[in-house]
Amino acid sequence: MRTDFSYSIIGAFIFLSLILTGSGFGNADKTKFLLAQAKKPERIKVVPKEKTYRVDFRDQEIQDFLKAMSAIIGKNIVTDERVKGKITVISPKRIPVSMAYAYMTSVLAVRGFGIVEENEDLIRVVPIKDALAGAQVIHLGREPLPEEELVVDAPSTHVVPLLGSKPSRLAPILKRLTSANTEIVDFDEAEMIIITGNSLEVNRLVKITSLIDGEPGEEPETPDSTGESIGNVHVFRLEYMQSENIEATLKKIQIPADTGLTRNTAASGQPANTNPTAVPKKPLDVVAHKESNSLVFIGNQEEFELVKGLLKRMDIPRDQVLLEVLIVEITADDSNSFGIDWIAGRGGSTQFNSGLVAESGLVDTNSNSVDVTGINALLGFSLAVIDNSATDIAALLNANLKRDNFAVISAPQVLTLDNQEAEINVGQDVPVITGARTDQLSNVIQQFEYRPVGVKLKFTPQISKNQKITLNLFQEVKSVIGGTGDATSNPTFSKRDLKTVVRVDNMQTIVIGGLISTDRTKNVRKIPVLGEIPLLGYLFKRSSSIMRKTNLLVFITPHILTRKKIADKVTDDLKKSQNKEYLQHNRSLR
């Protein structure tokens, strides 16, 4: 073994001699250098250890804690007179002196106190509200705070400009995600929010703001519902559903207040509580942000996984339905009347009057005489025969046949999402006189109220897995069917409505309403005995009949337009149909 060691030494000297030879050393210099290197001891670089400390205070005055920390950080500490109370600090491991300042800041924040730096050697301890109000560090922008500020966790103010959110709507959400000591001010006019608090908390809120707020129309950073987390705050960007609706649903879910309660009791050897009603529960803590269509959830990792699984099943694309409706309403009025009235004596002192004389004005009450021109007021065919003798016998014959047909045809079309209510109103407002008065100048002042007429359609579709569509439908048709046209009279309105729930196939056309009413009225006025004579009885009687028929039919055809190809085809068909009607209308005007 000694021989091997000797050979190693000799080999090392030979190697060094070759290097020195190539470097231009002489033989004598080589020998001196080798001997010096053989005698020179090896040097080892020693890195000094960082100083550490241990602070253990159990129910001690906070002034004693600050006295000890003053010696460790090497700064003078002045305390406000409101800084009082006891504190408990347990330090099982030694803490580096470089972390002492941040450690002290965190401990004081727990007790509601903060630090204000006067200069390099002097700091003041005051209530945390005063410390935040006197924050000297102000940042503008959306970038997180620098690392050197986060280490000391000093009071900081951050002015964050918003891109698409309204400050007054975002500020309440951020306030729910932080402590009461952090101040958040919304400034809608400048489209920014101002956050003041300890740097760690301010930095967290700035990151949350960047996740929630974005440019209008900007693609979200997280297009699915996997979410992004900052501590116990999780932000989900929804893709299909509306955040307000999801928020209302999730808030109804109750979860155990301590998700690890059963697991901990079982692990400790005690029997686990199997009664679910005995476990305290709490609602999910979620907040909706409308502008970015996001959900902000506050909870631990286990609750986070639960909410993430729920959102994966709830935030899914919904089908959409186009409902075509054809409304046909037909009203027919048929009336006919035939009769003869007799008058005898000047001024009609003796007469058979079935109503024709009064309507016609045949008798002039002012001159107490018969005026044949009065029959011009009667409709239909009228014939008056007058004997100008002393008896003044007159006969008035009237025959009238009247037919009115009134039709309303409407074809509204509405597109909506599955389980989403849709409504369309097409019509106008008709004035109705509600009162009148006369002013001092004898001018008549009328008061009007406007009532809507037209077509109203409201429906909510529900699509099943086998493409069956359940429609919760409300249909209303209001129209004006009568009115004299006089400014002093009111029109007559017709109203037809239908409310139902039906189930149909995709693209199936069905009729859901056939409201039919038939009104018949027949009047006969005659002279007793004479009016009963066959054939000749028509000379002494008047008969009239009125019949009104009303028919309302509603046809519906739903189309599921989830697939783009089908939606494009329906759209093209409707465009072609409208263009065809437009061209036909133009040709008819030429």
Side-chain angles (χ1 to χ4, degrees):
M1 183 177 294
R2 181 175 298 177
T3 304
D4 294 339
F5 179 78
S6 300
Y7 286 150
S8 298
I9 294 295
I10 293 172
F13 272 97
I14 294 172
F15 178 75
L16 289 174
S17 63
L18 291 174
I19 295 176
L20 295 176
T21 303
S23 302
F25 282 91
N27 292 332
D29 294 332
K30 296 176 187 177
T31 304
K32 291 179 180 180
F33 175 79
L34 294 175
L35 292 175
Q37 292 298 322
K39 295 179 181 180
K40 186 177 180 180
E42 182 180 1
R43 294 183 180 181
I44 300 176
K45 187 177 181 180
V46 179
V47 179
K49 282 188 176 182
E50 183 179 5
K51 293 183 180 180
T52 60
Y53 70 97
R54 176 179 294 169
V55 181
D56 286 318
F57 289 92
R58 299 178 184 269
D59 199 25
Q60 297 295 321
E61 293 292 336
I62 195 171
Q63 297 292 341
D64 296 335
F65 168 74
L66 293 175
K67 187 182 297 183
M69 295 305 299
S70 176
I72 294 173
I73 65 177
K75 291 189 177 184
N76 298 321
I77 300 178
V78 178
T79 60
D80 189 278
E81 60 181 6
R82 293 168 290 179
V83 181
K84 298 178 182 179
K86 294 186 177 182
I87 195 169
T88 297
V89 180
I90 301 175
S91 178
K93 295 183 179 180
R94 302 185 69 85
I95 300 173
V97 174
S98 60
M99 301 294 295
Y101 192 91
Y103 183 81
M104 179 182 65
T105 303
S106 300
V107 173
L108 291 175
V110 173
R111 295 291 297 157
F113 303 114
I115 294 175
V116 176
E117 294 189 5
E118 298 291 342
N119 51 52
E120 294 183 358
D121 299 324
L122 179 62
I123 61 176
R124 286 191 301 115
V125 179
V126 296
I128 196 166
K129 288 287 186 181
D130 296 346
L132 297 178
Q136 299 180 357
V137 180
I138 300 177
H139 294 274
L140 173 63
R142 301 165 63 91
E143 296 297 326
L145 298 178
E147 291 294 333
E148 55 269 19
E149 292 187 26
L150 298 178
V151 172
V152 297
D153 196 20
S156 175
T157 297
H158 208 120
V159 181
V160 185
L162 301 183
L163 302 177
S165 303
K166 191 174 182 180
S168 57
R169 291 180 60 89
L170 182 59
I173 297 177
L174 297 179
K175 288 178 180 179
R176 292 189 56 180
L177 306 179
T178 186
S179 64
N181 295 324
T182 303
E183 293 288 341
I184 301 175
V185 180
D186 56 88
F187 192 14
D188 286 344
E189 289 77 3
E191 297 184 351
M192 61 178 56
I193 57 174
I194 304 172
I195 307 173
T196 301
N198 288 332
S199 57
L200 288 174
E201 188 64 20
V202 170
N203 191 60
R204 188 174 72 97
L205 294 178
V206 171
K207 290 182 178 180
I208 294 174
T209 302
S210 298
L211 286 178
I212 297 177
D213 178 57
E215 288 279 5
E218 180 186 16
E219 288 294 329
E221 297 177 5
T222 53
D224 54 13
S225 298
T226 56
E228 289 194 11
S229 304
I230 301 176
N232 63 340
V233 179
H234 316 278
V235 180
F236 301 88
R237 290 285 187 106
L238 301 181
E239 187 174 1
Y240 304 107
M241 302 296 292
Q242 296 180 357
S243 58
E244 298 95 329
N245 297 337
I246 297 294
E247 176 196 17
T249 302
L250 293 180
K251 281 186 174 180
K252 297 179 182 179
I253 299 177
Q254 299 284 329
I255 61 174
D258 182 8
T259 54
L261 180 62
T262 305
R263 181 175 59 254
N264 294 338
T265 54
S268 61
Q270 300 177 1
N273 188 359
T274 58
N275 185 8
T277 60
V279 179
K281 295 183 177 181
K282 64 176 182 179
L284 290 175
D285 194 359
V286 292
V287 183
H289 185 248
K290 181 178 179 179
E291 284 78 359
S292 62
N293 199 35
S294 302
L295 275 178
V296 181
F297 167 68
I298 304 102
N300 56 36
Q301 186 63 29
E302 189 172 350
E303 296 169 349
F304 168 69
E305 294 297 331
L306 171 63
V307 174
K308 187 167 64 173
L310 291 174
L311 290 178
K312 185 177 180 180
R313 291 165 175 80
M314 297 171 65
D315 187 29
I316 56 177
R318 290 190 292 172
D319 294 328
Q320 55 186 5
V321 176
L322 173 68
L323 185 65
E324 290 184 308
V325 181
L326 176 62
I327 304 167
V328 180
E329 180 188 6
I330 300 175
T331 301
D333 288 341
D334 292 338
S335 62
N336 60 78
S337 62
F338 177 83
I340 299 177
D341 282 11
W342 295 93
I343 303 171
R346 187 171 295 277
S349 57
T350 302
Q351 60 177 303
F352 162 58
N353 185 0
S354 63
L356 289 176
V357 174
E359 293 178 16
S360 64
L362 184 64
V363 177
D364 188 350
T365 57
N366 295 326
S367 61
N368 196 23
S369 62
V370 177
D371 184 7
V372 71
T373 60
I375 64 174
N376 294 329
L378 295 177
L379 299 176
F381 173 75
S382 299
L383 176 64
V385 179
I386 301 176
D387 180 10
N388 291 325
S389 65
T391 57
D392 281 342
I393 297 176
L396 176 61
L397 180 146
N398 176 258
N400 181 40
L401 178 63
K402 178 184 177 182
R403 291 182 179 178
D404 289 336
N405 291 313
F406 180 78
V408 175
I409 300 177
S410 179
Q413 300 175 356
V414 188
L415 178 66
T416 186
L417 291 174
D418 184 25
N419 286 301
Q420 185 72 42
E421 184 181 77
E423 180 177 349
I424 183 172
N425 292 290
V426 180
Q428 58 185 350
D429 291 336
V430 178
V432 177
I433 300 174
T434 58
R437 63 182 179 86
T438 304
D439 61 8
Q440 296 178 352
L441 300 177
S442 299
N443 296 321
V444 179
I445 301 175
Q446 296 178 333
Q447 297 175 345
F448 290 89
E449 178 182 296
Y450 287 87
R451 296 183 181 177
V453 295
V455 178
K456 176 188 290 186
L457 173 65
K458 185 190 300 183
F459 78 101
T460 303
Q462 294 178 346
I463 305 174
S464 64
K465 292 182 179 180
N466 57 357
Q467 299 292 291
K468 294 282 187 179
I469 305 172
T470 301
L471 293 172
N472 191 334
L473 183 71
F474 174 77
Q475 176 72 54
E476 181 182 77
V477 179
K478 288 184 179 179
S479 56
V480 181
I481 62 172
T484 61
D486 190 355
T488 60
S489 62
N490 285 329
T492 302
F493 295 92
S494 171
K495 178 181 177 181
R496 307 284 186 270
D497 59 52
L498 182 148
K499 185 177 182 181
T500 184
V501 178
V502 296
R503 191 175 188 183
V504 296
D505 290 329
N506 181 29
M507 302 180 67
Q508 178 187 4
T509 300
I510 61 172
V511 58
I512 62 172
L515 305 180
I516 301 175
S517 64
T518 302
D519 299 331
R520 291 183 178 180
T521 304
K522 186 174 184 180
N523 293 321
V524 177
R525 294 178 182 180
K526 59 186 176 180
I527 297 176
V529 180
L530 295 178
E532 301 292 341
I533 300 175
L535 299 177
L536 293 177
Y538 284 101
L539 299 175
F540 305 101
K541 66 180 179 182
R542 180 188 179 192
S543 62
S544 63
S545 63
I546 300 174
M547 183 175 65
R548 169 174 288 185
K549 292 183 179 181
T550 302
N551 191 4
L552 175 65
L553 299 175
V554 180
F555 301 88
I556 62 171
T557 306
H559 302 266
I560 300 177
L561 301 184
T562 303
R563 296 175 57 186
K564 182 178 181 299
K565 183 177 180 180
I566 299 178
D568 291 343
K569 183 180 183 303
V570 172
T571 303
D572 292 339
D573 291 343
L574 291 176
K575 287 173 61 178
K576 292 177 181 178
S577 176
Q578 292 297 322
N579 290 334
K580 183 179 179 180
E581 291 185 6
Y582 175 76
L583 294 175
Q584 290 178 351
H585 176 71
N586 286 345
R587 283 195 293 266
S588 64
L589 296 177
R590 294 174 184 175

